[in-house]
Amino acid sequence: MSVQEQLDELRDRAQGELDDAADLAAALAWEKAHLGPKGDVTLFLRGVGSLPTEDRPLAGRAGNALKIVLADLFEQRRATLAAHDLEQRLAADAIDVTLPGRPPSLGAEHPVSQMIDELSDIFALLGFQTVFGPEVETARYNFDLLNIPADHPARDVWDTIHVESPGELVLRTHTSPMQARVMETTQPPVRVVVPGRVYRYEAQDASHEWMFHQLEGLAVDRHITMADLKGTLTELARQLFGPSRRIRFRCDFFPFVEPGVDFAVDCALCNGKGCRVCKGTGWLEMGGAGMVHPRVLEGVGYDPARYSGFAFGLGIERLAMMRSGVDDVRAFAGNDLRFLRQFARAA
Ligand code: YSA
């Protein structure tokens, strides 16, 4: 076979293979096989020196011409395949800008926050201002100023979570510490409600959480009596639950009141028949209350001979349970959107 025939055969074969290269990777492999340092065209050109002298000029020219032709063909094929590749990737990543957008999911106010707003509104109409206090509290406000000294057995019933051990700081076990904080900075008449989180190291069940919310209420003035306390909480129950829900006051003990009561409503979940939420009694305790103890008044510099007051602490989740028929207090902090969405109000 003459040199020219060899090169013609090489050119036909290389051209056929290049036409068959289906993608860029195959085209690059083709370039290496024919035009790379160990490619067949390169090897041919390197071998020209060993040909008979008379064949060398023709072989050299023809070999170089073939190299240029193949490099040209390669460049055209590479450009075609690269364009095709880009087209395919664009098609795969295509975004249809005419599709309607996904509506962002809007948050809604938590049922406990809704209850707090509602309670603040009701108490505002009764002349009470809403104020807030710290959740990390000193033992002085959480206990001492509430007539619960350090060695008093009543401290044990509060299931306290201590921030420092041993130490002065606790997570407040109730909103009552705000009674002293408000009175220390205000002169009577005082009428405040204090909503907020409280914490207790307590076993959980359908009506007990370890973190829950209370609403403290405090009224101090001349001539405040137990009738004012009962009237205020009765009005609250009417506003929240309507005229037919029964309410009950029973004697109870809290070191910071004298006398003290517990305030309950008949269980809305079983209509007073008895269930696991009201523990079969037909009543669910909403809060503790009473006439502010003279020692508490003295502790903040008020004269108990001149001023009297009532105070109460209500469980906000319990009120929301009775109001909306929720049968487990743990649902409020459970973070289940199916539960929470039922309370979403239209904006
Ligand atoms: C009493 C007299 C006052 O002059 C002022 C306030 C008080 C209330 C007192 N500070 C207190 O915390 N009483 S309490 O321990 O009985 O809690 C009050 C209310 O919080 C309960 O009636 C109940 O409704 C709610 N509660 C108590 N423990 C709870 C709870 N709610 C959910 N989970 C718990 N673990």
Side-chain angles (χ1 to χ4, degrees), residues 3 21 27 50 56 91 137 168 187 206 268 301 314 334:
V3 168
S50 54
R56 286 184 203 161
E137 193 44 286
E168 168 65 1
Q187 282 306 305
L314 306 171

Side-chain angles (χ1 to χ4, degrees), residues 158 174 176 179 200 202 207-209 212 214 216 254 256-257 285-290 311-315 318 329:
W158 295 104
H174 50 176
S176 300
Q179 289 189 27
R200 290 186 193 175
E202 193 162 20
S207 52
H208 292 85
E209 258 287 12
F212 57 100
Q214 287 188 340
E216 192 77 8
F254 300 95
F256 34 99
V257 285
E285 188 190 296
M286 294 292 112
F312 54 84
L314 306 171
R318 298 249 183 115
V329 70

Side-chain angles (χ1 to χ4, degrees), residues 146 157-158 173-177 179 198 200 202-203 205 207-218 252 254 256-257 260-263 284-293 310-319 329:
L146 290 168
V157 303
W158 295 104
T173 55
H174 50 176
T175 42
S176 300
Q179 289 189 27
V198 302
R200 290 186 193 175
E202 193 162 20
D205 63 23
S207 52
H208 292 85
E209 258 287 12
W210 72 272
M211 184 281 289
F212 57 100
H213 295 73
Q214 287 188 340
L215 181 102
E216 192 77 8
L218 174 69
D252 203 351
F254 300 95
F256 34 99
V257 285
V261 292
D262 91 47
F263 167 60
L284 192 63
E285 188 190 296
M286 294 292 112
M291 298 305 293
V292 181
H293 198 289
F310 68 76
F312 54 84
L314 306 171
I316 294 181
E317 280 85 351
R318 298 249 183 115
L319 292 171
V329 70

